[in-house]
Short mmCIF file of all heavy atoms in Angstrom, two decimals:
data_model
loop_
_atom_site.label_atom_id
_atom_site.label_comp_id
_atom_site.label_asym_id
_atom_site.label_seq_id
_atom_site.Cartn_x
_atom_site.Cartn_y
_atom_site.Cartn_z
N MET A 92 54.54 20.72 -4.39
CA MET A 92 53.98 19.49 -3.81
C MET A 92 52.75 19.80 -2.97
O MET A 92 51.74 19.11 -3.04
CB MET A 92 55.05 18.78 -2.97
CG MET A 92 54.54 17.53 -2.26
SD MET A 92 54.05 16.22 -3.41
CE MET A 92 55.66 15.62 -3.89
N PHE A 114 23.79 9.50 -5.15
CA PHE A 114 23.06 8.57 -4.28
C PHE A 114 21.72 9.15 -3.87
O PHE A 114 20.69 8.47 -3.89
CB PHE A 114 23.91 8.24 -3.04
CG PHE A 114 23.23 7.29 -2.09
CD1 PHE A 114 23.21 5.92 -2.35
CD2 PHE A 114 22.58 7.77 -0.96
CE1 PHE A 114 22.57 5.06 -1.49
CE2 PHE A 114 21.94 6.90 -0.09
CZ PHE A 114 21.95 5.54 -0.34
N THR A 125 -0.95 0.68 5.94
CA THR A 125 -1.50 -0.50 6.60
C THR A 125 -2.57 -0.03 7.58
O THR A 125 -2.62 1.15 7.96
CB THR A 125 -0.45 -1.31 7.40
OG1 THR A 125 -0.03 -0.53 8.54
CG2 THR A 125 0.74 -1.67 6.57
N GLU A 228 -5.24 -5.89 -10.70
CA GLU A 228 -4.38 -5.16 -11.63
C GLU A 228 -5.21 -4.38 -12.65
O GLU A 228 -4.85 -3.27 -13.04
CB GLU A 228 -3.43 -6.12 -12.34
CG GLU A 228 -2.41 -5.42 -13.23
CD GLU A 228 -1.27 -6.31 -13.66
OE1 GLU A 228 -1.14 -7.43 -13.11
OE2 GLU A 228 -0.50 -5.89 -14.54
N ASN A 247 -18.51 -11.70 22.15
CA ASN A 247 -19.65 -10.89 22.60
C ASN A 247 -19.69 -10.84 24.12
O ASN A 247 -18.94 -11.55 24.80
CB ASN A 247 -20.97 -11.44 22.03
CG ASN A 247 -21.49 -12.64 22.78
OD1 ASN A 247 -22.39 -12.52 23.61
ND2 ASN A 247 -20.94 -13.82 22.52
N GLU A 254 -25.21 -21.96 18.25
CA GLU A 254 -26.11 -22.26 17.14
C GLU A 254 -26.66 -20.95 16.58
O GLU A 254 -26.61 -19.90 17.25
CB GLU A 254 -27.25 -23.16 17.62
CG GLU A 254 -28.07 -22.55 18.75
CD GLU A 254 -29.15 -23.50 19.23
OE1 GLU A 254 -29.24 -24.63 18.71
OE2 GLU A 254 -29.91 -23.12 20.14
N GLY A 260 -30.81 -11.01 17.45
CA GLY A 260 -30.80 -9.74 18.17
C GLY A 260 -29.43 -9.29 18.65
O GLY A 260 -29.31 -8.21 19.24
N ASP A 273 -25.07 -8.58 5.20
CA ASP A 273 -25.98 -9.63 4.75
C ASP A 273 -25.79 -10.92 5.55
O ASP A 273 -26.76 -11.58 5.91
CB ASP A 273 -25.77 -9.90 3.26
CG ASP A 273 -26.34 -8.80 2.38
OD1 ASP A 273 -27.17 -8.02 2.88
OD2 ASP A 273 -25.95 -8.71 1.21
N ASP A 310 -6.30 -10.42 20.92
CA ASP A 310 -5.27 -10.51 21.95
C ASP A 310 -4.54 -9.19 22.15
O ASP A 310 -4.51 -8.64 23.26
CB ASP A 310 -4.28 -11.61 21.57
CG ASP A 310 -3.14 -11.74 22.56
OD1 ASP A 310 -3.39 -11.65 23.78
OD2 ASP A 310 -1.99 -11.94 22.12
N ARG A 368 0.46 -18.18 11.93
CA ARG A 368 -0.12 -19.49 12.20
C ARG A 368 0.57 -20.19 13.36
O ARG A 368 -0.08 -20.87 14.16
CB ARG A 368 -0.06 -20.34 10.92
CG ARG A 368 -0.94 -19.80 9.81
CD ARG A 368 -0.85 -20.64 8.54
NE ARG A 368 -1.67 -20.06 7.47
CZ ARG A 368 -1.78 -20.57 6.25
NH1 ARG A 368 -1.11 -21.69 5.94
NH2 ARG A 368 -2.54 -20.00 5.34
N THR A 389 -18.61 -27.64 17.23
CA THR A 389 -18.48 -29.02 16.77
C THR A 389 -18.78 -29.04 15.26
O THR A 389 -19.35 -28.08 14.72
CB THR A 389 -19.47 -29.93 17.48
OG1 THR A 389 -20.80 -29.57 17.09
CG2 THR A 389 -19.33 -29.82 19.00
N ALA A 402 -28.38 -18.30 1.81
CA ALA A 402 -28.99 -17.19 1.07
C ALA A 402 -27.97 -16.13 0.69
O ALA A 402 -28.13 -15.42 -0.31
CB ALA A 402 -30.11 -16.56 1.91
N VAL A 416 -15.93 -18.36 -8.11
CA VAL A 416 -16.35 -19.13 -6.93
C VAL A 416 -16.21 -20.62 -7.18
O VAL A 416 -15.76 -21.38 -6.29
CB VAL A 416 -17.80 -18.77 -6.54
CG1 VAL A 416 -18.26 -19.63 -5.36
CG2 VAL A 416 -17.91 -17.28 -6.17
#
Side-chain angles (χ1 to χ4, degrees):
M92 177 65 76
F114 179 79
T125 68
E228 186 166 349
N247 80 100
E254 58 183 1
D273 286 342
D310 178 41
R368 294 178 182 180
T389 66
V416 176

